[in-house]
Amino acid sequence: MASSGLFFKDGKKRIDYILVYKKSSPQVEKRSTFEKNLRAEGLMLEREPAVTNSDIMFVKIHCPWETLCKYAERMNIRMPFRYCGNYFKKPIIYWLPRNPMKLDKEALPDLEETDCYTAPFSRARIHHFTINNKDSFFSNSTRSRIVHHVLQRTKYEDGKSKMGINRLLNNGTYEAAFPPHEGSHKSRHPIKTHGAQNHRHLLYERWARWGMWYKYQPLDLIRRYFGEKIGLYFAWLGWYTGMLIPAALVGLFVFLYGLFTMDSSQVSKEICEANETIMCPMCERNCTLQKLNESCIYAKVTHLFDNGGTVFFAIFMAIWATVFLEFWKRRRAVLTYDWDLIDWEDEEEELRPQFEAKYSQVERVNPITGKPEPFQPFPDKLSRLMVSVSGIFFMISLVLTAVFAVVVYRLVAMEQFASFKWYFIKKYWQFATSGTGVCINFMIIMSLNVVYEKVAYLLTDLEHPRTESEWENSFALKMFLFQFVNLNSSIFYIAFFLGRFAGRPGKYNKLFNRWRLEECHPSGCLIDLCLQMGVIMVLKQMWNNFMELGYPLLQNWWSRRKMKRRGQSMETKISLPQWEKDWNLQPMNLHGLMDEYLEMVLQFGFTTIFVAAFPLAPLLALLNNIIEIRLDAYKFVTQWRRPMPARATDIGIWYGILEGIGVLAVITNAFVIAITSDYIPRFVYAYKYGPCTDQGCLKGYVNSSLSVFDLSELGMGYSGYCRYRDYRAPPWSSTPYEFTLQFWHVLAARLAFIIVFEHLVFGIKSFIAYLIPDVPKDLCDRMRREKYLVQEMMYEAELEHLQRERKKNGKQYHHEWP
């Protein structure tokens, strides 16, 4: 039995859309004109006051059959044919895993999709389509989309731009406009009930519950309830999560390989057994001389991430990114075919009110509609774009300033931690410096993100984009640039700058002639890079997940608390009509799906750009995404009002951003392996300077990678010699402390590796992209065959219709014969 909260008072007319306004609003005339014009368009309206707030009024909208047919024809909505025998059935693409929801026909009797071909709806050929029940012929999401189409094009005042529900929402005429949910997400009735289905309850039981984490997503049901745009987002998120499984397994294998070979590593052995090797002080005043074997733990941990599998994994992830994107294009093609989006083109968007108000005096003829519309002159557009670009560079410089501040903190803190009273902090002062530095950096990142969002809004509005989609693309690109630089700038510093310009003992470089620049640990800088990536990635994902679910829960809890303060009992809440329950939920945020895509795209950057330094990144991303899918599902189904079911054929600007990240990942991983890790120095030593005849032997490598310094030159009362990481001549050499020939060999090998690695990986990526077509060949054949069969079906249906008419007329003629 369907919920009574989904119908008009007569219990027959289904509610397709809800408008909400305040009785105290002064915009009475605009509202009255708008609703009068809605009735003239064929919609039926019914008002009802709110139960919990006497100032709130709800306007329920129902779209009758005749109006649905009229606008379905105008919008070219595709519907299934009436005649579809085995010859005309839509073929199933067996090489993709089918959605398990389609197979559960007993549990989901009214969700069984027809396998018939579809065609744009036409009232003149209405007899061609399968119309068993006029009330269910158009799905609820399609009905809501048709009503939204009418709302967007109905006038509220005289004037060419005085139309659309968006403008009325902006000027306060209405408080909200949304399609209603199909009842409660929880129900005492089992899923296997006959009659009208509560798809929201089905989504909760089969998708949003945590117990469903290991099952396929019901994409067809998501698309039917929320629309193709949201359906494509969850299809992409599910595809990305599934593709992370092989990447996570290979990354875990590389990590376990490092774990099992940690004790047998020649480099780790030499560091742990170096009892007599004294290292030079790593800070100016408070550091003492330390033995090399005191960094034994650091050496072993570094081996976990910097081992023989690092290069293989970097190449694998570059290829993985290409395969992921190429196969997603194929997956998207299949989805657009299954969801009848092949021939769909985005409707001509209406202009933004801000754009019309700004450029109402300058007009030109729209080449598509042939009607005059406001136009932004090129000089004005260019000047605004230049201001926006300047703002972007200013915010990026602000990020770099914040990173510089963290660097200064690290330089100051290492001196303090080296003389700390607690023994643990004093012994592991480098770890304490890095750990506190990354935590402070994370707090700065989260604080600046709030500022970035406001600045991105300001800059995007300053550009005056013509349509909402242009505004969304411009805003999304700015938010990505801001947050990408914000998250990764400190990581780039540690990967490519930390310890590179510190100088040498006796001639250290100092910042402002005061603070000595930070050096890498005797075991290398990779451990700092791993720590930075791990902490930021884990904390960022935990914070996002908390905000995605915690914030709507807190807001809805606060709404319930305010209801209790007004003296309304739980019985009153339960008896609220569905539209009022929806009004008490949170609206989908203004960014739509942008925040969801942005979070995942930034995560994609973490899993690819520096993956050579942190092979566990894909595993962390996989675990997060398993949670993320259920969090998003729970949020959409239970915490948010039902969004307008929008259509889309792809993921928009985000695909281009993902491709750009894939290219950047190849370059950064090449530099990480060549410069940050010790892979190249070990390689050069093993094949050029090693004492062993066996290739790959690293015996004596640690001693070869350390230079000698005369402690008496420090003037700190020390005598003897100490060692430091570099390739310089000893103090007794004719050219003391000059770079040795081994340094130049290593440098040449690093540059050669970068060139070879990039060309090899880019060549493999291009070859794979060439081999994998965007659309499967069998799908292309089916699409061409569909066009042919649709024409055949229309001919046969028309012929059968004419034969029935002739028989009917013949019987009538025979009956009238005297």
Side-chain angles (χ1 to χ4, degrees), residues 401-686:
T401 303
V403 173
F404 180 76
V406 174
V407 171
V408 173
Y409 163 80
R410 291 170 65 108
L411 299 181
V412 175
M414 68 179 185
E415 293 282 354
Q416 303 301 320
F417 285 133
S419 60
F420 212 73
K421 294 181 180 179
W422 295 350
Y423 173 76
F424 180 82
I425 299 295
K426 184 176 182 179
K427 183 177 181 181
Y428 299 103
W429 61 269
Q430 284 186 301
F431 179 79
T433 301
S434 299
T436 55
V438 68
C439 291
I440 293 173
N441 185 49
F442 177 76
M443 289 188 288
I444 293 175
I445 287 172
M446 301 311 296
S447 301
L448 289 179
N449 278 346
V450 179
V451 179
Y452 295 156
E453 184 172 347
K454 298 183 182 301
V455 173
Y457 258 115
L458 178 64
L459 294 177
T460 307
D461 285 338
L462 182 66
E463 294 174 7
H464 284 301
R466 178 175 172 273
T467 62
E468 285 297 329
S469 63
E470 291 180 9
W471 189 96
E472 289 177 3
N473 287 338
S474 179
F475 180 73
L477 184 60
K478 290 182 182 64
M479 286 298 295
F480 169 75
L481 288 175
F482 289 159
Q483 293 209 21
F484 180 82
V485 175
N486 194 23
L487 282 173
N488 292 283
S489 55
S490 59
I491 299 176
F492 271 89
Y493 163 75
I494 292 176
F496 304 127
F497 297 98
L498 179 63
R500 308 296 166 197
F501 309 100
R504 62 170 179 81
K507 195 178 180 180
Y508 283 113
N509 298 321
K510 295 184 178 182
L511 184 64
F512 304 132
N513 293 322
R514 181 175 180 181
W515 295 299
R516 173 178 157 184
L517 294 182
E518 195 174 359
E519 286 186 82
C520 290
H521 195 271
S523 298
C525 289
L526 202 65
I527 188 65
D528 294 283
L529 182 58
C530 294
L531 179 65
Q532 186 83 6
M533 285 193 61
V535 171
I536 290 181
M537 186 174 185
V538 172
L539 291 181
K540 181 73 166 58
Q541 293 184 155
M542 290 175 61
W543 176 260
N544 288 338
N545 290 337
F546 171 76
M547 288 302 295
E548 283 194 13
L549 185 61
Y551 186 64
L553 283 173
L554 288 174
Q555 287 182 311
N556 291 330
W557 170 81
W558 184 251
S559 299
R560 293 193 297 268
R561 185 177 179 182
K562 287 194 295 186
M563 290 175 60
K564 290 182 179 179
R565 285 181 174 178
R566 297 193 191 108
Q568 291 152 350
S569 63
M570 289 301 294
E571 288 78 9
T572 304
K573 179 179 181 298
I574 294 173
S575 62
L576 290 178
Q578 184 60 48
W579 57 82
E580 192 157 352
K581 292 179 181 177
D582 293 349
W583 164 247
N584 291 327
L585 295 177
Q586 298 303 309
M588 187 174 179
N589 59 49
L590 296 175
H591 307 157
L593 293 173
M594 195 215 73
D595 286 341
E596 314 297 336
Y597 276 117
L598 178 62
E599 179 186 349
M600 290 296 102
V601 169
L602 291 173
Q603 183 204 83
F604 180 79
F606 267 103
T607 59
T608 54
I609 292 179
F610 288 100
V611 74
F614 193 56
L616 291 180
L619 178 62
L620 294 179
L622 174 63
L623 297 176
N624 173 80
N625 287 6
I626 292 174
I627 300 173
E628 176 75 20
I629 290 175
R630 302 306 150 187
L631 280 180
D632 286 347
Y634 185 83
K635 179 175 60 180
F636 272 91
V637 174
T638 69
Q639 300 302 308
W640 279 358
R641 296 175 195 160
R642 187 178 182 180
M644 201 286 293
R647 307 201 89 187
T649 57
D650 53 37
I651 62 176
I653 194 175
W654 299 107
Y655 186 86
I657 293 176
L658 290 170
E659 284 190 320
I661 291 176
V663 173
L664 181 62
V666 176
I667 299 172
T668 53
N669 281 302
F671 277 87
V672 166
I673 296 172
I675 296 176
T676 311
S677 77
D678 285 340
Y679 175 80
I680 298 301
R682 291 197 301 262
F683 181 86
V684 171
Y685 177 82

Side-chain angles (χ1 to χ4, degrees), residues 256-291:
L256 292 177
Y257 171 79
L259 180 65
F260 292 138
T261 60
M262 184 170 56
D263 293 329
S264 60
S265 169
Q266 180 66 31
V267 176
S268 299
K269 281 182 179 180
E270 292 186 2
I271 292 177
C272 294
E273 295 172 358
N275 298 322
E276 304 299 328
T277 303
I278 305 298
M279 300 302 294
C280 298
M282 298 189 67
C283 57
E284 285 292 296
R285 296 183 297 274
N286 301 320
C287 293
T288 58
L289 298 175
Q290 292 182 327
K291 294 182 178 180

Side-chain angles (χ1 to χ4, degrees), residues 139 173 241 245 267 381 413 703:
S139 66
T173 303
T241 303
I245 295 176
V267 176
K381 185 175 184 178
N703 183 65

